[in-house]
Amino acid sequence: MIERIEQLRAQAQQEIAAAVTSDAVEQLRVRYLGRKAELPQMLRGVAALEPQQRGEVGRAANEARRALEQLIGQRAAELDAQALEQRLLADTADVTLPGTPPQPVGRMHVINATMRELEDIFLGLGFTVLEGQEVETVHYNFDALNHGPTHPARAHTDSFYVREPAGHATKQTIDVKAGHDSMRLGAPTDLVLRTHTSPMQVRAMQAHPPPLYVVIPGRVYRPDSDATHTPQFHQVEGLAVDEDITLADLKGTLLAFAKTVFGDERDVRLRPHFFPFTEPSVEVDVSCFHCSGKGFQADGSRCPLCKGEGWLEVLGAGEVDPNVYSYVPTTERNAPGYDPEKVQGYAWGMGVERIAMLKHGIPDLRLYFENDLRFLEQFG
Amino acid sequence: MRVPLNWIREYCDPPLDTAAIEERLTMTGTKVEAILHHGVPSAENFVVGRVLVAEKHPDADKLKACKVDVGDAAPADIVCGAPNVAAGQTVAVALPGAVMPGGMKIKAAKLRGLPSNGMILSEQELEVGAGSEGIMVLDGLTVDAELAPGTPLAEVLAISSDVFQLEVTPNRPDCLGVYGVARELHAATGAPIAPEPWGEDPGTDGPVAGAEVHVECTDLCRRFTARAFADVEIAPSPPWLKARLMASGQRPINNVVDITNYVMLLTGQPMHAFDLDRVAGARLTVRRAHKDEQITTLDGQVRTLDEEMVLIEDADGPTSIAGVMGGERSEVEPSTKRVLMEVANWNGPNIHRTSWSLGLRSEASARFEKDLAPEQCSHAQAVATRLMIELCKARLMPGTIDIADPTVSSPPIHLRERRVQAILGMPVPLERQAAILGALGFGVAHAADGLEVSVPPERRNDVSREADLIEEVARIHGLEALPATLPARRGAYGRLSPRQQARRRAVDALVGRGLFEVFGWTFTAPTLFERLRLPDDDPRRDAPALENPLSEDHALLRTTLLGSLLDAASRNVAHGIADLRLFELGTIFSLAASRPTGEAALSDTGVHEHQALGVLLSGRVTPVTWGSPSPPRADLFAVKGVLEALADALHIPLECQTGSQPFLHPARAATVTSAGRDVGWLGELHPLIARDWGLDGAAVMEITLDQLLVEVPMRTYRDVISFPALRQDLAVVLPAGVPAGDVLTVVRSSASALLDDVRVFDVYTGAQIGEGKRSLALALSFRSPERTLTDEDVAPVRQRIVAALSELGGELRG
């Protein structure tokens, strides 16, 4: 019996090792370990043996069965692994094909992205962001910003006027002097599409007491249309009013802006200019980032961005004109109010399109509002 | 304004080159926009010559062989084609090596066999005049005819000049004249300034015999002066004058007209010359025009005026539009003998309005519209009178017509020394302040804590307060020296409002989902409403209108973002980009007191402004790849997915209910609500609307953000980690018409607090469940913050849900 067990074991071992498919291994399992197989039957027949034989035969048979079970398991696993490997190999990918993209991200519009960048700069400097209304009263858009009653910017050639809604109480804020009433034709209604974000200067001062540090991003309108003018565009207004804010503070603030937007090496210069609601008024230039302010390129040719000037005009600014404070009524909300002998401050208005244009080399303002995807996807 | 630098230098000549002068002017507030060059690039090799011999060229009928003394030992041979060249003339000669204005270089050459070592020049070739009738003869009328041959031409004529293109700000009409610019340069550099060119006036006061002026509208004409001249000899102006006008961008005409232009360019005060003999009745009247009154201006155009425009008329009717342009009838012409020189002061804004509404801008109107000082009339009369006598051999008739308002006087302004530093943030010593103001023409006296400053007339409109004086000091002292400091920022801390933060989050969520932000026009066309099929009573038709739109297509303010989104989509599709995921966040306007979609922003204009968000999806919603060559196309559920992403990003509930919009697919449209309030709509675009914009279908949405952004909640922690959720599925068969939203609402309201979430994960219709039925598979998630739930815990809840669903006609499936 013992010999027979050893014989079966050796034979099975040989056959298991030679099996090359999972099916063959399964057949061997049935043949050697299945219910009707010889070895299990021997084990079942152990009880019928002579008592002195039982222990020896039973042990040998059990041992042989366990060994075969293990061998079969091993061989099956080996073969499974081999089969898997072959399936995997058959599933060859051409790694040079393009990847499958996740849902691609979209883009913010370059103007919105630029406005956000500007907001963040001034948030970091301690300014709060306010917004205003786009349909404004002539009062806030012109009068309260020290535009004389006959200032040319009020003309209907320079500002969009909005027909007054029925039932809206018109308050005639234009000082119609004899001889100046011609401007009534230029200013047919009391409502304009704001021509700048500056109307929010007086609105902000009406709503908050000094000290006041705010920026006002928004859409503004003027009736011009060509490669360098669109009838709608965007500005970021700045206004800071405190006891002692100087023109030098304006320079420092805008230097921080210039360095952030155009690079750490940038410088700013203030050039005297004129605006009705600032005094002194300045235009602010940033040293050209294309030629590092030299005016010419490495090859000696004139810088195409600053046209050889070394400076790029980016915005208008100045100390708030004392007359503007006189348009701010003192109320409970903004007490103690804005007395030009006690407070002073600066204001600026920067054109978002202009800054984006300089920064990204955008050649034509009209591109901003055509919304061509091939344009939009380059920024934001 | 174009100003030749050599003209400025006649009054103020700092030892600086062109670039340095440009820099000083620009940095003190008179911006040099460009430096142009007028005339020859370099004056080298241009000399005065005398024609010794001029004989017909033996081999050419139209050429003359000349011998010209150019100051050398031997005369130069020059072949000349001008018909007027003759022996004895003093002429301008370009010698070999000279470079002409166009860049052509003069070389020694042979013309038809004869040597020609130079060129005898015409005015036009030198750009010193417009005449092209042959060569320029430098006779006694033009320059000293006895000039030695060989004298450099530049010593006699301005043949080469740098010209500044200046940006003069509207508060500085005094700088619309050369002398005003020279005064700026004087203040900016410290170089001496020549006396005012109007210092000496040969004229006299009193009435003028044989001429009369009547001003009916003194409100619009604050001063009117006139002088009469007899025995006027009309002739071309001398070359120096022509050269100045040419370099300033003006075309010389004749001496009288040129004088008026020259005086305007020098003093900033425009003036007009009438042929006195052609002023009917020898009387001028200044009055407002009648409505629709017509006049033919100098340019030959018939202009129609209105009652706010001022004209000047004589006995035969209107002759000119005051301050803007003269008329043909009394223009100075070659036969003119007597001239009436008019210098007036007009109301600036009125001139601005007239010139803009007529579309007629002139050098004169550009100056008058900035409001000149009445005193400037005298300046112009003084200079013009001198030139009339000098250049036209005219005889000044006694007297000056002068109809004037009483002269305005402005009180002196007090300038506190300390205040300068307080505003600028840099010190400027008192003596420096005084010197700057003095150089600018202000009267300066010392006072207790600063200066008493009086303002010259031509600066009166601009400078009336201390702040204005500080600006004058600042700009001349130089802003380059300003330090760069930051304000104290007392109590200032930068922050975005919750609403601003929420709006950024909305944009970021949409961008992250692959949408592109567009910026459309605020303006919209009245035809949009028709194209969108809005019924007559739709509140979106009630759009604010512009009084003065640029075009009919831009006549209204938009009441929906859909128009600009469709325009953007249409444009892209036309350019072959058909897969579009667009959104716009912008203002929409309404006149209606309350809109159904949200509460109007507070406004004191009667026009309500709303922040709206619009989305347009068209074509395929994800990119085509080799792995998924035909991704799904945008439909209702794609745009609803965007809405859900937005709601998720903002943590606000946004729901859809069956709804309709005139421009949407009638069966695939929804109303968007938030907490029961109507905030917008979404759906698939009606195919006819899509076709109108050239789109192959689109899914669109618009919601009003105003209120939503305010409601974005603060989040507090919820324990969903300590105990797991229990998940169960439920399939229910319902009548097909029952909306899934109603089913979910019923489930939520019937369940207890244990129900954490329920969503539809499968929808089935088919034979298995019968006609008119629909099966919804719901995924339920139960959760307790206190313990792990068992099936027994939720069994009663589940029963309640099932019972509630049966009331909707639902039966559990299988």
Side-chain angles (χ1 to χ4, degrees), chain A residues 333-345:
Chain A
R333 292 171 75 197
N334 70 353
Y338 290 79
D339 174 353
E341 282 294 311
K342 294 195 178 123
V343 295
Q344 61 186 55

Side-chain angles (χ1 to χ4, degrees), chain A residues 97-98 100-101 103-109 111-112 116 119-120 123 125-131 133-137 140 150 152 155-163 165 168 178-183 185 188-189 191 193 203 211 213 219 221 223-225 230-232 234 242-249 251-253 255 269-274 279-283 309 313 319 321-323 340-341 344 346 368-374 376-377, chain B residues 26-29 31-33 167 169-171 219-220 288 308 347 349-350 352-353 356 369 416 419 421-425 462 465-468 470-471 474-475 479-480 482-490 492-496 500 503-504 507-508 511-523 544-550 554 557-558 568 571-572 575 577 579-584 587 589 591 602-607 609 621-623 625-626:
Chain A
L97 281 172
T100 305
Q103 170 78 0
V105 293
R107 297 282 183 210
M108 275 169 84
H109 193 281
I111 293 174
N112 195 11
R116 195 186 274 193
E119 286 171 14
D120 287 345
L123 283 166
L125 287 170
F127 289 68
T128 302
V129 179
L130 297 182
E131 287 142 54
Q133 55 201 59
E134 296 178 26
V135 176
E136 260 297 356
T137 61
Y140 285 106
T150 56
H156 65 290
T157 46
D158 291 37
S159 299
F160 285 114
Y161 282 83
V162 178
R163 200 165 297 159
H168 177 243
H180 290 168
D181 55 353
S182 57
M183 292 313 295
L185 287 153
T189 76
L191 300 181
L193 276 179
R203 284 187 185 275
Y213 293 84
R219 182 174 287 191
Y221 304 87
D224 285 319
S225 191
T230 45
Q232 71 184 23
H234 298 79
D242 205 335
E243 292 165 14
D244 50 7
I245 297 183
T246 65
L247 203 61
D249 291 336
K251 185 174 180 182
T253 307
L255 183 63
R269 72 173 186 186
L270 272 46
R271 254 186 311 106
H273 199 71
F274 170 75
E279 192 84 17
S281 298
V282 293
E283 277 190 328
E309 286 200 26
E313 185 184 320
E319 288 281 295
D321 192 293
N323 284 6
E341 282 294 311
Q344 61 186 55
Y346 60 61
Y368 288 122
F369 305 116
E370 283 171 356
N371 295 312
D372 190 310
L373 217 62
R374 295 165 296 184
L376 298 176
E377 67 189 5
Chain B
T26 294
M27 292 311 293
T28 53
K31 184 167 190 205
V32 179
E33 289 181 316
E167 181 199 359
T169 54
N171 59 324
D219 55 336
L220 297 179
R288 282 184 160 82
E308 292 301 324
N347 173 286
N350 179 263
H352 179 79
R353 177 188 169 279
W356 277 99
E369 72 185 21
R416 291 167 288 180
R419 194 76 181 148
Q421 180 168 1
I423 294 289
L424 301 182
D462 182 37
R465 303 160 306 163
E466 185 182 44
D468 304 322
I470 293 172
E471 176 173 70
R475 67 184 184 87
L479 297 176
E480 298 98 321
L482 269 186
T485 53
L486 283 176
R489 288 166 288 163
R490 296 177 186 89
Y493 55 100
R495 74 278 195 195
L496 291 173
Q500 289 163 342
R503 198 174 49 207
R504 283 193 176 192
V507 169
D508 290 344
V511 169
R513 294 292 167 136
L515 275 74
F516 287 79
E517 186 181 20
V518 300
F519 268 39
W521 292 106
T522 293
F523 313 104
L546 293 180
E547 284 286 340
N548 52 334
L550 279 185
H554 278 190
L557 304 186
R558 61 183 170 181
R571 184 194 157 80
N572 279 292
H575 285 81
I577 306 161
D579 297 332
L580 297 167
R581 304 181 301 274
L582 309 179
F583 77 98
E584 178 165 9
T587 306
F589 301 81
L591 290 175
L602 281 179
S603 148
D604 51 5
T605 60
V607 175
E609 301 186 16
V621 291
T622 56
T625 66
W626 59 271

Side-chain angles (χ1 to χ4, degrees), chain B residues 116-141:
Chain B
S116 184
N117 296 319
M119 182 166 151
I120 305 175
L121 301 164
S122 70
E123 286 183 353
Q124 205 173 35
E125 282 159 346
L126 277 172
E127 296 187 346
V128 296
S132 56
E133 304 293 308
I135 55 156
M136 172 169 52
V137 180
L138 305 173
D139 56 16
L141 255 183

Side-chain angles (χ1 to χ4, degrees), chain B residues 414-429:
Chain B
H414 187 61
L415 175 62
R416 291 167 288 180
E417 182 190 5
R418 279 178 302 102
R419 194 76 181 148
V420 175
Q421 180 168 1
I423 294 289
L424 301 182
M426 69 174 171
V428 183

Side-chain angles (χ1 to χ4, degrees), chain B residues 452-802:
Chain B
E452 285 292 304
V453 182
S454 55
V455 182
E458 60 270 31
R459 299 300 309 281
R460 206 184 285 135
N461 284 341
D462 182 37
V463 180
S464 58
R465 303 160 306 163
E466 185 182 44
D468 304 322
L469 292 174
I470 293 172
E471 176 173 70
E472 295 300 298
V473 169
R475 67 184 184 87
I476 300 296
H477 184 65
L479 297 176
E480 298 98 321
L482 269 186
T485 53
L486 283 176
R489 288 166 288 163
R490 296 177 186 89
Y493 55 100
R495 74 278 195 195
L496 291 173
S497 67
R499 180 192 160 83
Q500 289 163 342
Q501 290 174 27
R503 198 174 49 207
R504 283 193 176 192
R505 202 149 62 228
V507 169
D508 290 344
L510 295 173
V511 169
R513 294 292 167 136
L515 275 74
F516 287 79
E517 186 181 20
V518 300
F519 268 39
W521 292 106
T522 293
F523 313 104
T524 195
T527 52
L528 177 71
F529 307 137
E530 221 49 61
R531 294 178 76 191
L532 291 180
R533 313 201 302 183
L534 300 185
D536 288 345
D537 60 351
D538 192 300
R540 284 168 292 209
R541 278 183 177 267
D542 212 0
L546 293 180
E547 284 286 340
N548 52 334
L550 279 185
S551 69
E552 190 55 22
D553 281 349
H554 278 190
L556 303 178
L557 304 186
R558 61 183 170 181
T559 55
T560 170
L561 299 176
L562 184 57
S564 53
L565 278 167
L566 286 169
D567 290 345
S570 177
R571 184 194 157 80
N572 279 292
V573 167
H575 285 81
I577 306 161
D579 297 332
L580 297 167
R581 304 181 301 274
L582 309 179
F583 77 98
E584 178 165 9
L585 209 162
T587 306
I588 57 173
F589 301 81
S590 73
L591 290 175
S594 65
R595 278 172 58 90
T597 49
E599 272 132 66
L602 281 179
S603 148
D604 51 5
T605 60
V607 175
H608 304 278
E609 301 186 16
H610 310 267
Q611 286 266 308
L613 173 74
V615 173
L616 182 148
L617 308 177
S618 185
R620 291 165 292 217
V621 291
T622 56
V624 174
T625 66
W626 59 271
S628 57
S630 50
R633 297 183 66 82
D635 63 2
L636 172 89
F637 297 103
V639 75
K640 190 178 175 193
V642 173
L643 179 81
E644 285 163 349
L646 183 75
D648 216 13
L650 295 179
H651 300 293
I652 49 174
L654 289 172
E655 318 251 321
C656 285
Q657 285 157 12
T658 305
S660 70
Q661 290 290 338
F663 41 81
L664 294 182
H665 186 302
R668 299 176 77 82
T671 298
V672 180
T673 60
S674 171
R677 202 178 50 237
D678 182 349
V679 295
W681 48 260
L682 63 75
E684 289 172 24
L685 202 60
H686 194 288
L688 293 179
I689 307 276
R691 191 197 294 167
D692 187 17
W693 266 271
L695 303 178
D696 184 15
V700 289
M701 146 181 141
E702 180 174 87
I703 58 173
T704 311
L705 292 181
D706 299 333
Q707 206 53 34
L708 296 183
L709 293 180
V710 178
E711 285 167 2
V712 171
M714 171 87 88
R715 306 292 291 172
T716 44
Y717 177 72
R718 212 161 62 87
D719 183 5
V720 293
I721 293 172
S722 301
F723 301 100
L726 178 72
R727 298 176 209 288
Q728 291 189 349
D729 293 345
L730 196 66
V732 58
V733 178
L734 292 138
V738 177
D742 291 1
V743 173
L744 295 181
T745 305
V746 160
V747 170
R748 284 196 200 98
S749 59
S750 62
S752 70
L754 292 184
L755 181 69
D756 185 46
D757 189 35
V758 53
R759 57 189 68 209
V760 176
F761 73 90
D762 195 20
V763 177
Y764 175 78
T765 52
Q768 283 186 32
I769 53 172
E771 190 83 355
K773 298 277 186 184
R774 184 168 73 153
S775 165
L776 297 179
L778 307 176
L780 305 169
S781 169
F782 300 94
R783 178 186 296 285
S784 161
E786 285 140 16
R787 64 206 157 88
T788 302
L789 295 175
T790 62
D791 286 342
E792 290 72 46
D793 290 325
V794 303
V797 182
R798 190 185 165 96
Q799 272 170 19
R800 280 205 302 280
I801 292 173
V802 171

